[in-house]
Amino acid sequence: MDVALAYLEAAQNILRRIRDTQLGALGRAAEICTQSIAGGGLVHLFGSGHSRMAVEEMFPRYGSFPGFHPIVELSLTYHNTVVGSNGQRQAIFLEKVEGLGKTVLRNFVLEPPDSFIVFSNSGVNEVVVEVALEARRKGLKVVAVVSAEHCTALAPRHSCGKRLTELADVVLDNCTPAGDALVAVDGHEDLVGPGSTIGAAALVNSLKCLVAERLTALGQPPIVLTSSYHIGSEASADRFDACFDDYRRRVRRVYGAR
């Protein structure tokens, strides 16, 4: 089989599994997010490594809206240099250091009705587990986005003895097989073509749609970043300003400014 077609079919299988198995969990996660945003709080977003992409897929980009607060630690996610200063080895090392997650969150004022979404394909590295622990300690509900198959195949690494899935109020499964890569190439021993980004992006955008629907039903329609293709250049620029102003107002409190 053509390997490009094999990848596309594997990706379709991920989306099919999400559709068939994750709608209930998506609804529960949407309720948590809606309660946070409608109540004047924020949904904080955190991911290390390539899970950063799911954080930025949620907000800010076209079709997204304020209420979600991306927390991106460059020491854990700055991958483009690969080697040398700020290289991949350092990031891989740091995501396994206990204490770093708690230190990152000390920069923010976190309190209900806020909630937290933690992204991690494996769900066992120390930093993501610690972020979830700290969020729970502060009384926040936690949504985990993981590969359930990959997570359950691994032993916990954090000294608390728990995986991310065991600390979450809701688990969203990105439905990617353990190991992430999807396609076998004839003559090569390793699989290629990761799938977790596809699964996470599908979950994130499905969740975003559900939250927008519920906020609108509550009489709090979100300010959506909208392309000029839909509403024209001037209106789109005005919408971006309104969205960013609304976001700034919402996040002042988490940086200690009232």
Side-chain angles (χ1 to χ4, degrees):
M1 178 185 292
D2 179 272
V3 291
L5 180 59
Y7 181 82
L8 292 173
E9 291 193 351
Q12 282 185 315
N13 286 337
I14 289 172
L15 296 176
R16 189 177 299 110
R17 287 180 62 195
I18 289 174
R19 182 195 64 193
D20 292 344
T21 67
Q22 296 304 299
L23 291 180
L26 279 165
R28 294 190 294 274
E31 186 59 27
I32 289 173
C33 296
T34 301
Q35 289 180 5
S36 293
I37 297 171
L42 288 162
V43 181
H44 306 284
L45 313 168
F46 182 86
S48 67
H50 287 92
S51 293
R52 169 183 177 165
M53 290 186 284
V55 171
E56 295 183 350
E57 183 71 16
M58 181 62 91
F59 183 83
R61 61 162 302 156
Y62 285 137
S64 65
F65 48 88
F68 298 98
H69 175 227
I71 300 175
V72 172
E73 190 68 20
L74 290 181
S75 63
L76 297 168
T77 62
Y78 193 68
H79 289 161
N80 61 300
T81 52
V82 186
V83 297
S85 298
N86 303 300
Q88 188 79 76
R89 290 187 181 94
Q90 297 94 302
I92 292 171
F93 175 84
L94 287 172
E95 67 182 1
K96 299 175 182 177
V97 174
E98 288 197 28
L100 180 57
K102 185 174 183 179
T103 299
V104 170
L105 293 192
R106 283 198 65 184
N107 291 290
F108 309 103
V109 178
L110 306 176
E111 60 189 25
D114 291 358
S115 54
F116 228 109
I117 304 179
V118 184
F119 298 89
S120 171
N121 194 56
S122 71
V124 296
N125 284 335
E126 287 82 345
V127 68
V128 292
V129 169
E130 194 163 82
V131 165
L133 281 169
E134 189 67 7
R136 289 181 63 88
R137 188 182 71 81
K138 292 179 177 291
L140 278 58
K141 292 186 176 180
V142 174
V143 176
V145 182
V146 301
S147 163
E149 183 178 312
H150 193 116
C151 186
T152 56
L154 299 176
R157 293 175 181 165
H158 194 277
S159 60
C160 73
K162 294 184 181 297
R163 302 175 182 86
L164 179 57
T165 50
E166 298 169 273
L167 297 169
D169 296 280
V170 177
V171 175
L172 294 175
D173 182 5
N174 67 32
C175 293
T176 304
D180 203 354
L182 302 174
V183 175
V185 175
D186 288 344
H188 201 292
E189 62 181 343
D190 297 321
L191 298 177
V192 295
S196 59
T197 305
I198 288 173
L203 289 169
V204 158
N205 286 298
S206 298
L207 179 61
K208 196 184 304 178
C209 293
L210 285 170
V211 175
E213 178 185 53
R214 295 184 184 203
L215 288 171
T216 301
L218 290 174
Q220 297 187 38
I223 303 172
V224 177
L225 291 168
T226 302
S227 169
S228 60
Y229 176 85
H230 294 295
I231 59 176
S233 298
E234 185 175 349
S236 178
D238 289 343
R239 183 73 59 82
F240 268 64
D241 280 339
C243 183
F244 294 151
D245 287 344
D246 185 64
Y247 178 77
R248 179 182 59 195
R249 176 184 61 80
R250 290 174 181 272
V251 300
R252 285 183 62 194
R253 184 260 304 164
V254 301
Y255 292 96
R258 295 286 181 174

